Amino acid sequence: MSAREFNFDGLVGPSHNYAGLSFGNVASFSNVKSASNPKLAALQGLAKMRALASRGFGQALLPPQDRPNFRLLRSIGFTGTDAEVLARAAKESPVILACAYSASPMWTANAATVSPSADSADGRLHFTAANLNNKLHRAFEHEQSSRALRAIFKDAKHFAVHDALPGTPAFGDEGAANHTRLCKDHGSAGVEMFVYGRIEFDASASAPKKYPARQTLEASQAVARLHGLSAERTVYIQQNPDVIDQGVFHNDVIAVGNANALFYHEQAFADEAGALDQLRRAMAGVGADLNAIRVDTARVPVADAVASYLFNSQLLSKDNGKMALVIPQECQEVASVASYLDGLVAGGSVIDELIHFDLRQSMRNGGGPACLRLRVALTDAEAAAMHQGVVMTEALYHTLVAWVEKHYRDRLEPADLADPQLAIEVHNALEELSRILGLPGLYD
Ligand code: SUG
């Protein structure tokens, strides 16, 4: 069966701000409390979606989430009217108010793990919403993520959307950011590679010392079970704990795969040779040869990979049999990376094109092109069965640009989160968005 990959980008929400909430994410920590520009952030994201859609790549979006998260605020004792809740939270715990306001659902690579129907035992496309339980500001996202996914992928004949795993450290799950599917083509059975940072129930296993490992092996195994993946086509690989300690908080900051290609940094995995060997053997079972594109430390040090987000790129298959690498503009500003990329494209690898985007607003919170999208490989029947209102078209692009221009602020500082007017603005924007996308009741 043939299938086409759609990228579901997160539409940046109107409360996008820099609150420094993600310990272990260097960019989030370095830009803490600077002013953000939600309008620009949303327009930058939309420009990427439009450009890729107009090139013929499958492109859709996932909506932002309702903010502030009053459920969170009320559950921890901030009571009264909405305005009273906001005032008390702003006074007593501005950081928790920032958590309730975070626009972090924009990074949809963390919304869920996705297994296409070609891989699952029941022939359905499976999603498991990620519990993101390592960070308070992200730990509630799964409720609305699974709701949005169920609204878009409603038809139970084709789709299964699983609730998030139990929200406890043993099952820390960050979704597709630690999951890569390698295959011959999107429609045939592939190898699903889960990359974990630590093992909860093995005290002897190595783990990072400075920064948290957000994904556990136990969580990856649970997702594979829920999705009905076959053992021969499922590979678990440990992320190198040393790179987590250098700011690689998700595997998609140090590796990206597409079809049979794995573009990765020499230091990405705890055991590089073992990882490649496992992948090669599993891929032989699906008739695919691994094309391992390794970037050496001598060419690009880990710090440069983190600063540029070279690996937080999208690798997209093109009609000419080659691939385009979608990178953030920062890749051209870090000398080692710019020079590496020149050589890569000129050197006859499968990657024959670079497409860059200015995603600075998202990048300043540690979110590059790959963080902003969730990959979903869909057969024609599945693509027809999903909700069509989220598929990016020229018309939807223009409607959303006008919507952003109407509702979004162009400057947001942490202190602005105390402004009760902001909550009203966000609410009104999202009400209108649910009508635009044809998803009534999304925010009820
Ligand atoms: O979880 N940043 C996100 C970035 C997520 C990137 N996603 C992937 N690599 N797939 C995070 O650390 C920062 C929010 C703040 O500090 O205000 C934040 O949540």
Side-chain angles (χ1 to χ4, degrees), residues 17-22 25 28 104 107 109-110 137-138 177 214 249-250 252-253 312 365-367 371:
N17 72 96
Y18 301 122
L21 301 175
S22 274
N25 167 342
S28 152
S104 54
W107 299 298
N110 304 117
H137 69 291
R138 306 210 65 180
R214 300 195 199 180
F249 55 97
H250 288 138
D252 70 3
V253 177
N312 199 256
N365 250 341
C371 300

Side-chain angles (χ1 to χ4, degrees), residues 75-147:
S75 75
I76 53 171
F78 294 116
T79 52
T81 63
D82 286 357
E84 283 162 355
V85 167
L86 292 175
R88 275 193 69 190
K91 186 158 164 261
E92 292 173 31
S93 187
V95 68
I96 291 183
L97 180 60
C99 287
Y101 253 122
S102 180
S104 54
M106 68 204 258
W107 299 298
T108 51
N110 304 117
T113 305
V114 187
S115 295
S117 49
D119 293 355
S120 67
D122 66 3
R124 293 190 298 167
L125 174 62
H126 286 252
F127 299 84
T128 295
N131 61 31
L132 301 173
N133 71 348
N134 195 263
K135 303 281 179 248
L136 173 62
H137 69 291
R138 306 210 65 180
F140 292 80
E141 285 179 30
H142 66 91
E143 295 169 3
Q144 289 188 57
S145 301
S146 41
R147 191 164 176 191

Side-chain angles (χ1 to χ4, degrees), residues 175-403:
N178 287 309
H179 172 260
T180 305
R181 180 172 188 264
L182 297 161
C183 55
K184 204 165 166 189
D185 52 71
H186 293 305
S188 56
V191 170
E192 300 208 12
M193 161 175 134
F194 290 83
V195 181
Y196 61 91
R198 67 180 188 89
I199 308 177
E200 172 82 2
F201 294 111
D202 181 354
S204 68
S206 57
K209 297 186 175 60
K210 186 174 166 199
Y211 291 145
R214 300 195 199 180
Q215 179 86 29
T216 65
L217 172 63
E218 289 84 352
S220 299
Q221 290 169 329
V223 172
R225 266 192 304 272
L226 286 166
H227 292 195
L229 303 182
S230 90
E232 304 76 60
R233 291 188 271 112
T234 306
V235 170
Y236 302 99
I237 291 173
Q238 187 184 357
Q239 195 178 354
N240 179 355
D242 296 340
V243 299
I244 296 180
D245 280 340
Q246 292 170 70
V248 180
F249 55 97
H250 288 138
N251 177 62
D252 70 3
V253 177
I254 197 100
V256 58
N258 175 54
N260 70 334
L262 180 66
F263 180 54
Y264 74 101
H265 191 276
E266 173 185 355
Q267 294 187 57
F269 309 117
D271 170 12
E272 181 193 6
L276 295 186
D277 186 51
Q278 277 194 76
L279 287 173
R280 283 203 177 96
R281 278 190 281 121
M283 287 175 71
V286 298
D289 283 329
L290 178 70
N291 178 2
I293 308 171
R294 175 204 217 225
V295 181
D296 300 343
T297 307
R299 290 295 304 274
V300 177
V302 171
D304 286 3
V306 172
S308 65
Y309 263 38
L310 167 63
F311 297 97
N312 199 256
S313 44
Q314 293 177 240
L315 253 184
L316 300 176
S317 298
K318 302 197 296 181
D319 291 342
N320 67 356
K322 298 281 192 171
M323 297 185 196
L325 190 70
V326 177
I327 48 174
Q329 200 160 289
E330 283 76 355
C331 285
Q332 289 169 308
E333 292 155 13
V334 174
S336 64
V337 172
S339 120
Y340 170 79
L341 285 171
D342 285 346
L344 177 73
V345 174
S349 85
V350 71
I351 301 171
D352 74 343
E353 183 185 358
L354 304 174
I355 307 178
H356 11 83
F357 290 106
D358 177 358
L359 296 166
R360 273 187 217 284
Q361 284 289 318
S362 170
M363 286 286 285
R364 286 168 56 79
N365 250 341
C371 300
L372 284 162
R373 64 93 171 95
L374 183 67
R375 286 180 284 190
V376 186
L378 295 160
T379 63
D380 290 346
E382 290 160 354
M386 75 169 171
H387 176 66
Q388 302 298 304
V390 293
V391 175
M392 186 50 61
T393 59
E394 268 302 288
L396 181 60
Y397 169 78
H398 289 293
T399 305
L400 290 176
V401 167
W403 170 78

